[in-house]
Amino acid sequence: MWVEKYRPQSLEKVVDQRETVESLKILLKDPLTMPHLLFSGPPGTGKTTVALCIARILQGDLWRDFTLELNASDERGINTVRERVKSFSRHAVGLLGNIPFGLIILDESDQMTAEAQTALRRIMETSFRTSRFILICNYSSRIIEPIQSRCALFRFSTLKTEDIARHLQFIAKNEGVNTKEEAIRSIVDFSEGDLRRAINTLQAATAYAREQPLDERVVTKVVGQAGPKEVRNMIQKAMSGQFEKSRELLYELMTKHGLAGSDIIRQIHREITRMEEIPAKEVADLAQIVAEYDYRLVEGANEDIQLSALLAQFARFGSPHRT
């Protein structure tokens, strides 16, 4: 998998997250004083990658032997904490070469049960001499306060679009993929700041395109979305008063691409924020309308009726100069 093949092996090669990386470098200058760490942020922003880079820095080539990786969403009960984590944390590694301590990486730790977190708190306190914990989560608020107070918190932000695009171009060049700029832009839009999703999409689209150049058409087909031009055309028709025509385009999107209502609404929201011909005040009003119909779909309303009603609302904002 390209995600693993191009996973950075050192902190210097981590995509974006510059402030976090620099802070960690300072922290790692004296490993013995390193506290437990808590990494929080959206998926695909480099949290696990940075944790593995730290393991390599601290433990060198032996990092696999002295690092315990657990996905807490799968192994999130108190038994896992009591058996695997507690047993590993007791290993005395301080006298083994230059290994300062064992490292325990708990991915998706915000999915751990309250009982498991309570048990973990005590282990973190008693095993500090022989091990350090790196807790990885999407939402730090779901980690109990006693654990948060025992960790240095690092927040990972959504990756910048230009950084994702640059990394995708690097991978495409290394893999000999003939990629058009529009395809990279489409993948970046779809990934929404998630680099892992972006790389997986690039690999899937490359396999689908085979020997052909990778363009936007291939990407939209792979990700199961409509092209931005199609969605924008539908919005423009609605706002120019051509409700029936816009609804025909809506049905075409639903049948041709097999899109769910929530997917179409997400793309509509994305496009209205990019349409320069729509005044800022109207964009705000339209975003509020989109939010209302998104909520209705979440509550289980009929997709066909609600999306048609959404386009009808858009038609009220139409003006004669729009076509």
Side-chain angles (χ1 to χ4, degrees), residues 54 57 89-90 98 115 153 178 203 231 251 299 309:
I54 291 175
I57 293 173
S89 66
R90 284 178 171 176
N98 295 321
E115 294 82 3
L153 174 61
N178 183 5
Q203 186 173 8
V231 176
Y251 290 155
E299 289 297 300

Side-chain angles (χ1 to χ4, degrees), residues 45-244:
T45 52
K47 301 186 297 296
T48 302
T49 294
V50 169
L52 295 177
C53 289
I54 291 175
R56 289 187 176 90
I57 293 173
L58 295 175
Q59 301 165 343
D61 295 336
L62 299 176
W63 73 271
R64 294 184 187 277
D65 298 324
F66 296 101
T67 298
L68 174 64
E69 281 187 83
L70 290 177
N71 190 312
S73 64
D74 296 328
E75 304 173 86
R76 62 197 186 109
I78 192 169
N79 288 336
T80 297
V81 174
R82 284 176 174 170
E83 296 170 11
R84 300 191 63 184
V85 175
K86 189 173 183 179
S87 174
F88 183 88
S89 66
R90 284 178 171 176
H91 291 169
V93 297
L95 301 177
L96 298 177
N98 295 321
I99 307 299
F101 42 71
L103 199 61
I104 302 170
I105 300 175
L106 292 179
D107 209 345
E108 299 187 42
S109 56
D110 50 350
Q111 299 298 317
M112 295 177 68
T113 63
E115 294 82 3
Q117 290 193 41
T118 301
L120 179 63
R121 175 195 64 178
R122 180 59 179 166
I123 295 173
M124 293 173 67
E125 192 173 65
T126 58
S127 64
F128 191 79
R129 186 180 65 85
T130 58
S131 61
R132 296 292 190 278
F133 285 79
I134 299 181
L135 306 183
I136 300 173
C137 64
N138 294 332
Y139 306 100
S140 60
S141 59
R142 295 179 183 174
I143 303 296
I144 62 175
E145 188 62 34
I147 288 182
Q148 291 191 46
S149 66
R150 287 168 170 79
C151 298
L153 174 61
F154 290 89
R155 300 190 184 277
F156 287 65
S157 57
T158 301
L159 301 182
K160 299 182 180 65
T161 56
E162 57 268 26
D163 289 325
I164 295 179
R166 190 180 303 112
H167 195 64
L168 293 180
Q169 289 166 347
F170 165 75
I171 293 175
K173 182 178 179 181
N174 273 22
E175 296 292 333
V177 180
N178 183 5
T179 308
K180 294 186 177 181
E181 185 177 344
E182 63 182 33
I184 295 293
R185 185 168 58 250
S186 183
I187 293 175
V188 171
D189 289 344
F190 170 72
S191 67
E192 297 181 335
D194 186 334
L195 182 58
R196 178 171 55 246
R197 180 192 292 182
I199 295 174
N200 284 333
T201 302
L202 175 63
Q203 186 173 8
T206 300
Y208 187 89
R210 298 179 183 177
E211 301 299 326
Q212 301 298 318
L214 183 57
D215 56 17
E216 184 181 63
R217 177 188 59 82
V218 174
V219 173
T220 55
K221 185 168 293 187
V222 167
V223 302
Q225 289 192 350
K229 293 179 182 178
E230 296 174 284
V231 176
R232 182 169 296 201
N233 187 30
M234 178 184 68
I235 296 172
Q236 290 173 334
K237 293 297 182 185
M239 297 190 68
S240 64
Q242 302 179 57
F243 171 72
E244 293 186 358

Side-chain angles (χ1 to χ4, degrees), residues 272-275 278-288:
I272 62 174
T273 60
R274 297 176 178 176
M275 296 172 67
I278 303 179
K281 176 62 170 59
E282 287 191 16
V283 171
D285 292 336
L286 292 174
Q288 188 171 4

Side-chain angles (χ1 to χ4, degrees), residues 261-262 265 286-303 305-314 316:
S262 58
I265 281 190
L286 292 174
Q288 188 171 4
I289 293 173
V290 170
E292 170 64 25
Y293 284 91
D294 179 56
Y295 175 76
R296 294 183 185 184
L297 291 184
V298 171
E299 289 297 300
N302 181 275
E303 291 185 351
I305 295 175
Q306 295 303 321
L307 288 173
S308 295
L310 172 61
L311 293 178
Q313 289 275 33
F314 275 29
R316 295 184 179 183

